[in-house]
Amino acid sequence: MNKYSYFTLWLIALAFWGLCSCESNRKGEIKPATPTLVADPTGTILEWPKQGDVSDDFFASEIDSVKYIMLETLPKSMFGEVSQIYRIGDSLIIVDAHVSHSISVFNLQGEFCYNIGAVGRGPGEYLDLGYVHVSDNVLVYLADCASGRILTYTKEGKFVKEHLLKNGAPQTFFILNDSLVIGGYSGYRPNAPYRLVWSDWVGNELETAFPYMTEREYLAGNFLVGENSETLFYYPLSDTIFEIKANSISPYLSMNFYEKNVLEAFVEDTKGMDDHTYLKELYNSDEITNMIDVFRCDNHWVAYSQKGKYTYMSVLDKSRRYYLKSDVKKKFLYIPDNFKASWHDWIIGYVNPETLDYVSKEQREDFLKSLSEACGSEITLDSLKQSNPVITMYHLKSR
């Protein structure tokens, strides 16, 4: 294997897919765009500490409880990849948008309960499963990328209604008050120059924000829910998390992952690069954090980030603590999990068997032994690859 981890390769593939997916719509230089909403720079915002301690002692320092959930493997519940996870009460909603194109619901014992929707052309069916959003009142919304629809279901899987958006389904979205679709569209196009668009259920644009500043196809960004149920949004190569409302946006938190002058220099130095060279520079740079996933817990923020050959788990409250997840050159993997969600003070993810190919035989055997003991049955690398993933839930200590 080369020096990229499986996770890095996946990110590059995803980013490159985004770069190429709308290539036919990209014409010449980027056109200036004037958004209807601009973030208000006034006021005091939260700020994460810039520096923190680095430690390998993640479990002893931060975790007081671990749960492993072996998901039942049946023909109707099999999936190949975990795109998203939601915990709703005593249920887990698992989204596989790329392999099985399914939304499966399991209880906390791992027993399969039912599927939500299915691939097809009938009522309540979709052609190409995209992003899934679960609202505060526990309605499940999914984007059908092929048809440009958003379909709505109850949490029990009953189909409620569908809406056809005339500009297509967004790459990521959030439903505000069950009447407003706030969607992030992937990559610059002359007819879609904004990262974020407010629209009604027909797809009429009501507000726009965050115009793309370069023709490069970036991922639009990510939504999350804040401490007091705020709707939050952040996007690649930005240090700010923004609060999103029906007719305004404002800075909410500064993550302090970037030095402003270093980031500005990187953007300027890479302007003339072709896409392949740019991505290589981005993922090899030891100065630029190339990806960030943020999770909001009751008493902590948790950020999963990558810079050069290292990936980190950062736990933040009144201080900032880094936990080294992997050092690809040394083939050292600290936690073979991909984290996807948070619920109260739990971080939820799954054991990614592919990452175990990057560790020594001794490390792999130790992990599989401890996993088998926790689950009460023998788990091998082959069984991990041939069955549904093992869900992991880590409970963060209160401080």
Side-chain angles (χ1 to χ4, degrees):
M1 295 297 296
N2 62 23
K3 66 181 179 179
Y4 296 113
S5 67
Y6 174 83
F7 186 59
T8 303
L9 287 171
W10 179 85
L11 281 169
I12 292 175
L14 180 61
F16 191 71
W17 174 84
L19 283 158
C20 297
S21 61
C22 297
E23 190 72 28
S24 60
N25 292 321
R26 296 166 64 187
K27 298 178 181 179
E29 295 183 359
I30 192 167
K31 297 179 180 179
T34 304
T36 61
L37 296 179
V38 177
D40 182 0
T42 62
T44 303
I45 65 173
L46 300 172
E47 186 171 353
W48 288 347
K50 290 186 177 182
Q51 302 296 330
D53 298 326
V54 179
S55 171
D56 287 335
D57 209 11
F58 177 69
F59 287 99
S61 299
E62 303 294 340
I63 303 300
D64 59 17
S65 179
V66 180
K67 293 183 179 179
Y68 295 100
I69 302 174
M70 296 181 65
L71 298 181
E72 189 174 14
T73 302
L74 301 171
K76 59 184 177 180
S77 71
M78 279 289 290
F79 56 91
E81 180 180 301
V82 180
S83 307
Q84 295 174 255
I85 299 175
Y86 284 96
R87 178 171 173 178
I88 307 297
D90 293 332
S91 299
L92 292 170
I93 299 176
I94 311 293
V95 181
D96 177 1
H98 303 294
V99 181
S100 67
H101 307 283
S102 63
I103 306 173
S104 302
V105 180
F106 298 83
N107 62 27
L108 295 184
Q109 289 69 52
E111 297 168 334
F112 173 70
C113 300
Y114 51 87
N115 289 317
I116 297 177
V119 175
R121 296 181 178 273
E125 296 179 334
Y126 47 83
L127 300 175
D128 183 12
L129 178 61
Y131 187 78
V132 173
H133 168 67
V134 180
S135 67
D136 288 342
N137 59 354
V138 201
L139 287 174
V140 178
Y141 299 87
L142 70 85
D144 183 350
C145 302
S147 68
R149 297 175 299 159
I150 291 181
L151 286 72
T152 309
Y153 306 81
T154 66
K155 67 181 179 67
E156 292 78 22
K158 180 182 178 181
F159 175 59
V160 178
K161 57 187 174 182
E162 67 176 48
H163 296 278
L164 177 64
L165 304 184
K166 61 184 180 182
N167 292 320
Q171 177 197 57
T172 182
F173 63 93
F174 201 97
I175 307 298
L176 199 63
N177 301 326
D178 292 320
S179 61
L180 194 64
V181 183
I182 305 176
Y185 288 85
S186 175
Y188 171 79
R189 298 184 298 279
N191 64 341
Y194 301 102
R195 290 185 182 276
L196 217 53
V197 174
W198 286 246
S199 67
D200 59 22
W201 279 116
V202 179
N204 295 313
E205 286 189 2
L206 305 176
E207 307 285 0
T208 56
F210 305 120
Y212 283 95
M213 303 306 292
T214 171
E215 199 180 26
R216 297 192 193 281
E217 295 283 329
Y218 295 127
L219 300 178
N222 298 294
F223 288 98
L224 69 154
V225 177
E227 181 177 1
N228 298 307
S229 299
E230 304 96 337
T231 302
L232 306 179
F233 179 78
Y234 63 101
Y235 57 86
L237 298 186
S238 172
D239 235 349
T240 305
I241 295 176
F242 296 90
E243 182 177 359
I244 307 298
K245 296 183 179 179
N247 54 12
S248 67
I249 53 179
S250 57
Y252 179 84
L253 183 150
S254 175
M255 295 184 283
N256 277 323
F257 276 104
Y258 300 101
E259 293 290 343
K260 184 178 179 181
N261 61 327
V262 175
L263 180 59
E264 290 176 346
F266 174 82
V267 172
E268 182 65 29
D269 292 345
T270 57
K271 272 185 177 178
M273 293 182 181
D274 60 71
D275 293 339
H276 176 76
T277 305
Y278 169 77
L279 288 172
K280 186 176 180 181
E281 184 71 19
L282 175 64
Y283 286 101
N284 278 288
S285 172
D286 290 328
E287 294 186 328
I288 297 295
T289 298
N290 56 59
M291 63 79 60
I292 304 170
D293 276 337
V294 178
F295 305 97
R296 172 65 200 175
C297 299
D298 285 351
N299 298 297
H300 309 73
W301 290 87
V302 176
Y304 184 68
S305 61
Q306 180 169 315
K307 179 189 287 188
K309 66 179 181 178
Y310 294 107
T311 58
Y312 295 92
M313 175 71 74
S314 304
V315 181
L316 303 108
D317 35 50
K318 294 180 180 179
S319 62
R320 186 180 189 123
R321 302 177 297 284
Y322 290 112
Y323 295 93
L324 183 64
K325 183 178 173 67
S326 66
D327 179 341
V328 180
K329 285 189 175 181
K330 295 181 180 179
K331 289 198 170 184
F332 174 78
L333 184 72
Y334 188 56
I335 309 172
D337 299 66
N338 282 4
F339 293 98
K340 291 292 184 179
S342 59
W343 183 80
H344 294 294
D345 267 334
W346 293 87
I347 298 295
I348 306 173
Y350 69 98
V351 177
N352 184 348
E354 302 295 336
T355 61
L356 292 173
D357 291 333
Y358 292 86
V359 303
S360 68
K361 181 180 179 181
E362 182 181 0
Q363 288 174 317
R364 181 165 56 247
E365 289 177 348
D366 286 346
F367 175 77
L368 291 173
K369 180 180 178 181
S370 63
L371 186 62
S372 299
E373 291 174 351
C375 294
S377 62
E378 183 180 7
I379 296 177
T380 66
L381 186 57
D382 286 340
S383 68
L384 276 177
K385 292 181 177 180
Q386 294 170 10
S387 61
N388 277 338
V390 175
I391 300 297
T392 57
M393 295 179 58
Y394 297 145
H395 188 262
L396 294 164
K397 295 178 181 178
S398 297
R399 287 180 178 268

